[in-house]
Amino acid sequence: MSLTAAAAGLWKSYQGTPVLKGCSFAFDKSGIYILTGQNGSGKSTFLRICALLEKPDQGEVRYLSDGGKALRNDIQLKRRITLVLPKVGVFNTTTFKNILYGLKIRGMKKEDREKRANEILEFVGLLHKKDQNAFTLSSGETQRLGIARALAIGPEILFLDEPTASVDRGATEAIEEIILNLKKKSSSIIVIATHDRGQAEKLADCLMVMEDGRIITG
Amino acid sequence: MGYLLKGFREAFGLMLHLNPELLGIIVLSLTVSCTALLIATAFGLPLGALVGLKRFPAKGVVISAINSFMGLPPVVAGLFIYLMLSRSGPFGFMGLLYTPSAMIIAQTVLAFPIITALCHSAIVSVDPVIRQASATLGATPLQVTAAVIREARYGIMSGVMAAFGRVIAEVGAILIVGGNIAGYTRVMTTTIALETDKGNFELAIALGIVLLALSLLLNLGLHVIQRKGMRGAGG
């Protein structure tokens, strides 16, 4: 494992309403971290700040390299982590081209990125849908595409915000299987926000509970 | 009724025999309008994206101004450009009045607000989650903007085609700044107006048929683009 993260004393308010109130946690071992808590408890905000998509009002998220060196919050660091949003945000093109996007903006060679995209689509079971417009996928498939698009770029830390919130039981099991397979295959840190207690128990190496804007380790 | 039939018969004769005067007028019309469209798109698309994606003071005023200029009467645009390019005007030294360049400027002025407004509208219609999704995948701010523009491509194409429809059929501005000089600045619309005045209907009818055919093609193109966009968005 080459990248670790630590959130220290995060505070965040929206329109004067505090959502995070001094939230701290360290992601320093590989495995699956599950963040649970009631709706509106601040799980998504915490993930978005950790994934460097938003800035906290107070506190900081520090990313440390293998040697313990603090990394600058720049595009190089942002390209080593990723967040899959609850609403995936697929591009209006084929499933295959959706996967290629993250690789293309990194300047990867055409043959390499196509090979990688095919591998990832096979891993998430969407290879047969590679030429289909992503807008025509079912909600479960869209969620798998979101995960595949994130996995394609080989993130060292993967954040998943409610990856199974809007999908049926079968699709949920498929996504859980993908996450467990990913854990077996890589030594990445996977952080998942979910309000599904059963899923939390099934997947978690480390269970975190968010309550009133703070994290209580389970 | 006889003169009408005669007019149509002779018009088809001109088209079938690829009359050089007719062809010259069509080529000049397309050259002027396509050049104007390219220039207007080169400036209108980035401005539409900027207004759609960035926050800045008086943004609402800028949007209202762009929308207002969409309805700019061509004769008013023609008058303004005439005053700018006439010998005593600020750009008179360039000697552009009564040239195809002046006509391109006039059509660019007419197409620019349409393209800017419709590009802006297409870009703000893109789901905001697209910006976040591309950012989470490691896109730089410029790459995020490019991703949003790519998502808005069908709306942008519709805007460009709508602007083309406006400029190719426009007569007021190019008549004022182009002067309708035979073989030099005479385009389809100005020729139709002139030949109708003169009672020479065959060339006017032939050009009218070409304009209608172009309009039909344009609408077919728009329909195909919109269907393609809807198929993606609605599935």
Side-chain angles (χ1 to χ4, degrees), chain B residues 11-24:
Chain B
F12 280 109
L14 287 176
M15 288 194 286
L16 284 174
H17 294 104
L18 298 173
N19 178 275
E21 189 189 357
L22 179 78
L23 280 182

Side-chain angles (χ1 to χ4, degrees), chain A residues 48 53 75 78-79 81-83 85 87-93 101-102 105-106 133 135-136 149-150 153, chain B residues 127 129-130 132-140 143-144 147 150-151 153-154 228-229 231-235:
Chain A
R48 292 164 65 84
L53 208 60
I75 192 73
K78 285 178 181 172
R79 287 184 171 181
I81 60 174
T82 191
L83 163 68
L85 299 157
K87 192 182 169 197
V88 173
V90 293
F91 303 120
N92 184 3
T93 184
Y101 178 79
I105 59 173
R106 283 166 173 75
N133 187 295
F135 279 10
T136 63
R149 203 168 59 175
I153 60 177
Chain B
D127 192 336
V129 82
I130 289 294
Q132 295 173 5
S134 51
T136 61
L137 291 168
T140 61
Q143 287 168 331
V144 170
R150 198 165 40 248
E151 285 304 293
R153 61 193 178 278
Y154 296 114
K228 208 170 171 191
R231 214 175 21 242

